[in-house]
């Protein structure tokens, strides 16, 4: 039997110190035993390393930043679709997801499928809405408060014990041990990601992450929990290991079942040292950069996503190998000047 | 007294707690004690092993064994 061949567009090709998930997703897709792929990379800048990884990405197109608006994005995608006849698109950045969610019905009509959370699902899990989320879905969350101004920050700090977590709207989080530190982090994060900046109760314990896939109907298709074993100065997990903790898997199942989540997600969870209780810190609305660990441990989530999108009805995956470990590394590729010139001038490679 | 089922132990003394992701390195003595613990041996039996396998005074062996078991408890490696 011949395997189907899908043309799949993937974003998140920035394999830098805070890597995008694109290459990890592509590796999962390329290792599929059920279908073959032609991978179309969608990049924002000509220095995203994935563009030059020609064994991973067959062709790359530069796409406009989310700030340009989704109409501009749509025009670019129409052009790309005309060239490539895309079957599926897998966006991998928080900040771009709103655009892709808005465009989903239009893209669907064009014949480009995707599995994405709805706008409500996307917005209700935003960091500044975490307390409401916890109440609505009966999930333990740390106390948190969004702040937009310095005076608001000082006021909110009165309600928290130090240390306190100061978190950016989309990315980055810092632990502040004093009011002065909290102010400094507020400035740093608001300048980079805008407001609100979120103050969050610090939970002393061990952080865990779960990569999961929901079918959009309340089914959990796969989930793999991981503990980071090496964390970079900027707080990114550079190595990790799969673990067997039923409490973490229960949390993933509860959230996916309750919210009918569609697509990949990453749960950031904290197990409190004193009580063993599991707190939900964040839901990232896409696969994490370490999703290939799940593939390595026996659950190929990107492959399962494609099967869901194509109506293949994959069986939920419940087994994986604990103690599977990943370690990231940096690798200097030698690239052709012609490739650099092509992506820089034509926006294509 | 028994070590948790979630503990994976390799022959070179690497201990991995599959529930928490924590890992530890044991010396040969610690490794053999964990093997005995896995078989469900009591603290008294462990002490007898130490005394028969090593040239050590009873008080020293008792103290070291006590410290070792406390360390296992602290890292939540023993069954409650």
């Amino acid at each position: 039997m011949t395997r189907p061949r899908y043309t799949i567009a993937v974003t998140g090709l920035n394999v830098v110190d805070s890597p995008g998930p694109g290459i990890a997703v592509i590796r999962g897709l390329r290792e599929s035993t059920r279908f073959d792929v032609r991978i179309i990379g969608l990049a924002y800048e000509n220095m995203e390393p994935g563009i030059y990884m020609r064994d991973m990405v067959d062709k790359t197109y530069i796409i406009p930043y989310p700030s340009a608006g989704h109409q501009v994005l749509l025009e670019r995608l129409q052009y790309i679709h005309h060239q490539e006849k895309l079957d599926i698109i897998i966006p991998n950045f928080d900040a771009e997801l709103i655009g892709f969610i808005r465009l989903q019905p239009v893209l669907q009509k064009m014949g480009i499928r995707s599995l994405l959370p709805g706008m409500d699902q996307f917005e209700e899990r935003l960091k500044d809405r975490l307390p409401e989320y916890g109440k609505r879905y009966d999930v333990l969350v740390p106390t948190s408060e969004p702040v937009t101004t310095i005076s608001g920050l000082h006021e909110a700090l009165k309600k928290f014990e130090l240390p306190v977590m100061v978190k950016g709207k989309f990315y980055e989080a810092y632990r502040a041990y004093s009011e002065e530190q909290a102010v400094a982090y507020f400035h740093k994060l608001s300048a980079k990601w805008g407001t609100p900046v979120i103050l969050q109760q610090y939970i002393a314990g061990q952080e865990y992450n779960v990569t999961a896939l929901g079918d959009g109907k309340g089914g959990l298709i796969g989930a793999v929990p991981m503990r980071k074993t090496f964390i970079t100065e900027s707080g990114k997990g550079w190595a990790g290991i799969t673990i067997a903790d039923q409490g973490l898997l229960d949390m993933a199942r509860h959230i996916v079942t309750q919210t009918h989540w569609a697509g990949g997600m990453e749960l950031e969870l904290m197990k409190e040292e004193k009580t063993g209780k599991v707190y939900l810190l964040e839901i990232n609305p896409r696969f994490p950069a370490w999703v290939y660990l799940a593939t390595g441990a026996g659950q190929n989530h990107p492959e399962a996503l494609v099967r869901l999108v194509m109506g293949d009805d994959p069986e939920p995956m419940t087994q994986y190998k604990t103690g599977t470990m990943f370690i990231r590394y940096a690798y200097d590729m030698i690239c052709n000047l012609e490739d650099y010139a092509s992506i820089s001038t034509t926006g294509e490679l | 007294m028994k070590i948790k089922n979630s503990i994976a132990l390799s022959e070179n003394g690497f201990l991995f707690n599959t529930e928490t992701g924590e890992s530890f390195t044991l010396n040969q003595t610690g490794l053999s004690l964990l093997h005995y613990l896995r078989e469900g041996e009591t603290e008294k039996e462990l002490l007898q092993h130490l005394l028969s396998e090593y040239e050590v005074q009873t008080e020293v062996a008792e103290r070291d064994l006590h410290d070792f078991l406390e360390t296992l408890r602290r890292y939540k490696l023993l069954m409650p």
Side-chain angles (χ1 to χ4, degrees):
Chain A
M1 200 174 81
T2 56
R3 305 200 299 186
R5 188 168 194 265
Y6 302 131
T7 301
I8 304 177
V10 179
T11 70
L13 305 182
N14 58 325
V15 201
V16 291
D17 59 345
S18 176
I23 294 299
V25 168
I26 293 167
R27 288 180 76 191
L29 298 175
R30 288 205 176 278
E31 286 182 21
S32 172
T33 54
R34 295 170 178 275
F35 52 78
D36 294 320
V37 289
R38 172 171 163 79
I39 298 294
I40 306 303
L42 304 179
Y44 292 98
E45 290 186 11
N46 58 15
M47 280 289 113
E48 292 184 25
I51 299 170
Y52 303 92
M53 298 171 73
R54 308 305 297 271
D55 54 339
M56 286 285 128
V57 182
D58 294 299
K59 168 113 192 189
T60 301
Y61 293 85
I62 296 288
I63 57 169
Y65 273 104
S67 55
H70 52 271
Q71 192 53 41
V72 181
L73 174 63
L74 177 62
E75 283 165 22
R76 184 63 173 156
L77 291 175
Q78 282 168 331
Y79 168 78
I80 296 167
H81 186 50
H82 184 70
Q83 307 296 316
E84 303 291 345
K85 304 272 179 292
L86 300 176
D87 294 304
I88 299 166
I89 196 159
I90 307 178
N92 289 303
F93 281 129
D94 300 21
E96 71 186 4
L97 269 174
I98 294 173
F100 281 104
I101 292 169
R102 290 225 168 96
L103 291 177
Q104 194 178 24
V106 186
L107 296 178
Q108 181 82 28
K109 271 188 199 154
M110 287 161 58
I112 308 173
R113 304 179 192 208
S114 54
L115 186 67
L116 300 172
M119 195 57 87
D120 290 347
Q121 290 173 319
F122 179 85
E123 288 185 338
E124 70 179 2
R125 38 103 345 234
L126 286 171
K127 284 183 207 177
D128 54 331
R129 298 192 186 174
L130 199 62
E132 288 166 64
Y133 191 91
K135 263 187 217 159
R136 187 176 308 149
Y137 297 114
D138 193 24
V139 173
L140 208 52
V141 297
T143 310
S144 64
E145 192 162 326
V147 287
T148 50
T149 62
I150 283 291
S151 60
L153 173 73
H154 287 295
E155 202 52 44
L157 276 169
K158 291 175 189 164
K159 300 175 203 163
F160 289 87
E161 276 181 35
L162 293 171
V164 64
M165 298 303 296
V166 188
K167 299 184 136 190
K169 187 177 174 181
F170 290 117
Y171 300 102
E172 288 187 58
Y174 297 96
R175 196 185 306 168
Y177 288 90
S178 67
E179 199 156 335
E180 293 71 32
Q181 267 190 336
V183 170
Y185 291 139
F186 174 88
H187 284 305
K188 182 175 178 164
L189 292 168
S190 58
K192 199 162 175 185
W193 304 112
T195 56
V197 167
I198 293 97
L199 281 186
Q200 194 174 78
Q201 174 196 1
Y202 170 68
I203 309 279
Q206 178 60 47
E207 188 183 330
Y208 295 98
N209 298 63
V210 180
T211 180
L213 175 65
D215 66 2
K217 300 170 199 156
L220 177 70
I221 298 301
V224 175
M226 178 274 283
R227 175 189 175 132
K228 293 173 185 172
T229 51
F230 184 85
I231 297 173
T232 63
E233 280 179 22
S234 58
K236 293 287 149 193
W238 209 250
I241 195 157
T242 57
I243 58 162
D245 186 317
Q246 196 54 45
L248 305 181
L249 291 170
D250 289 346
M251 175 74 100
R253 182 174 305 281
H254 178 74
I255 287 172
V256 166
T257 307
Q258 294 287 304
T259 63
H260 286 213
W261 187 266
M265 65 151 59
E266 180 190 25
L267 301 176
E268 294 185 12
L269 305 168
M270 184 65 85
K271 198 167 199 176
E272 193 173 28
E273 177 70 36
K274 268 192 298 191
T275 62
K277 287 179 179 169
V278 179
Y279 286 78
L280 173 68
L281 299 184
E282 245 177 85
I283 296 178
N284 293 317
R286 35 87 197 153
F287 287 130
W290 57 272
V291 68
Y292 187 70
L293 178 67
T295 305
Q299 290 193 13
N300 190 337
H301 291 185
E303 179 193 54
L305 181 141
V306 166
R307 292 184 63 203
L308 281 170
V309 164
M310 299 311 291
D312 197 13
D313 204 15
E315 280 288 306
M317 297 174 278
T318 54
Q319 303 296 314
Y320 60 90
K321 189 166 176 269
T322 54
T324 307
M325 196 173 98
F326 81 91
I327 301 183
R328 246 171 226 156
Y329 66 101
Y331 180 91
D332 298 356
M333 287 187 292
I334 301 302
C335 305
N336 292 327
L337 182 62
E338 290 77 14
D339 289 351
Y340 182 32
S342 172
I343 194 80
S344 302
T345 54
T346 65
E348 296 181 24
L349 178 63
Chain B
M1 192 165 35
K2 231 179 165 183
I3 58 168
K4 284 185 176 170
N5 292 332
S6 61
I7 305 300
L9 202 54
S10 69
E11 279 314 304
N12 54 11
F14 184 79
L15 184 159
F16 176 62
N17 186 344
T18 59
E19 260 179 20
T20 65
E22 288 172 304
S23 58
F24 306 88
T25 310
L26 298 158
N27 63 14
Q28 199 52 47
T29 316
L31 179 61
S32 57
L33 286 174
L34 275 194
H35 280 306
Y36 293 133
L37 274 172
R38 179 158 274 175
E39 287 159 22
E41 295 203 358
T42 63
E43 190 166 346
K44 211 172 177 181
E45 288 169 317
L46 295 180
L47 181 64
Q48 287 311 316
H49 282 298
L50 285 179
L51 292 173
S52 64
E53 289 169 28
Y54 300 92
E55 277 182 33
V56 61
Q57 290 179 327
T58 309
E59 305 83 71
V60 175
E62 274 177 344
R63 192 189 60 212
D64 287 353
L65 178 60
H66 181 264
D67 287 351
F68 182 68
L69 293 175
E70 269 313 299
T71 306
L72 295 182
R73 276 192 198 96
R74 191 166 71 244
Y75 288 116
K76 297 176 180 156
L77 300 173
L78 293 179
M79 280 188 177

